[in-house]
């Protein structure tokens, strides 16, 4: 009979489904991030100073350690070679995990694309869920 110690279970996160990501503007209107990224795929890429970005908004729902751990893991895995997407007002529409990783690792700039138009939202603020 052998002696062994079983390992405790790992904490498991929900599966990531990029098609379920949405961007919500200050007015509460929502857009599919996949749609915005596809619409902007041919825009020029440029370097934007991280210090120029508005970092005052609340980036995600949730406030538990589990929720935070999920986002920390996504930040650690973020690909900084992929440009972030700025909306028509210069707000971060896609790429918050990349921005956080860039800041945490001491970068000064990040690759970005900026939309110059405002498409119709997928869901307006007054529409019920």
């Amino acid at each position: 009979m052998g002696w062994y110690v079983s390992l405790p279970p790992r904490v498991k996160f929900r599966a990531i489904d990029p098609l379920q990501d949405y961007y919500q503007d200050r007015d509460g209107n929502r857009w599919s991030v996949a749609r915005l990224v596809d619409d902007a795929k041919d825009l020029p890429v440029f370097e934007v100073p991280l210090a120029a970005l508005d970092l005052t908004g609340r980036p995600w729902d949730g406030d538990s350690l589990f929720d935070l751990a999920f986002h920390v893991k996504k930040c650690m895995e973020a690909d900084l070679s992929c440009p972030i997407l700025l909306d028509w007002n210069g707000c971060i529409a896609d790429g918050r995990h990349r921005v956080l990783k860039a800041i945490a690792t001491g970068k000064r700039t990040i690759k970005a694309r900026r939309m110059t138009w405002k498409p119709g939202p997928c869901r307006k603020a007054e529409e019920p869920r």
Side-chain angles (χ1 to χ4, degrees):
M1 181 150 106
W3 169 259
Y4 66 93
V5 176
S6 64
L7 297 174
R10 290 185 192 265
V11 174
K12 293 184 181 178
F13 297 111
R14 64 178 166 83
I16 298 171
D17 184 356
L19 295 178
Q20 297 300 316
D21 286 345
Y22 65 89
Y23 168 61
Q24 183 171 311
D25 70 5
R26 296 177 190 135
D27 299 324
N29 297 309
R30 292 181 175 206
W31 288 262
S32 159
V33 170
R35 175 183 153 208
L36 293 178
V37 169
D38 188 56
D39 287 351
K41 68 181 178 258
D42 295 326
L43 291 174
V45 176
F46 62 96
E47 294 284 331
V48 63
L50 290 161
L53 298 175
D54 179 6
L55 304 175
T56 60
R58 184 173 177 180
W60 306 289
D61 293 333
D63 55 5
S64 70
L65 284 177
F66 184 79
D67 294 333
L68 181 59
F70 172 80
H71 290 292
V72 167
K73 184 175 188 294
K74 284 188 74 174
C75 289
M76 292 168 50
E77 295 171 349
D79 180 0
L80 295 181
S81 70
C82 180
I84 66 169
L85 180 60
L86 302 176
D87 77 0
W88 39 94
N89 291 318
C91 297
I92 304 165
D94 178 52
R96 289 175 180 82
H97 295 103
R98 284 168 270 159
V99 168
L100 288 175
K101 181 176 183 176
I103 292 169
T105 57
K107 306 289 187 206
R108 293 175 184 260
T109 63
I110 193 165
K111 294 176 195 280
R113 289 188 168 101
R114 179 161 182 188
M115 297 185 76
T116 56
W117 69 96
K118 182 177 181 178
C122 297
R123 181 183 298 153
K124 292 187 178 189
E126 65 273 5
E127 291 180 12
R129 289 184 176 211

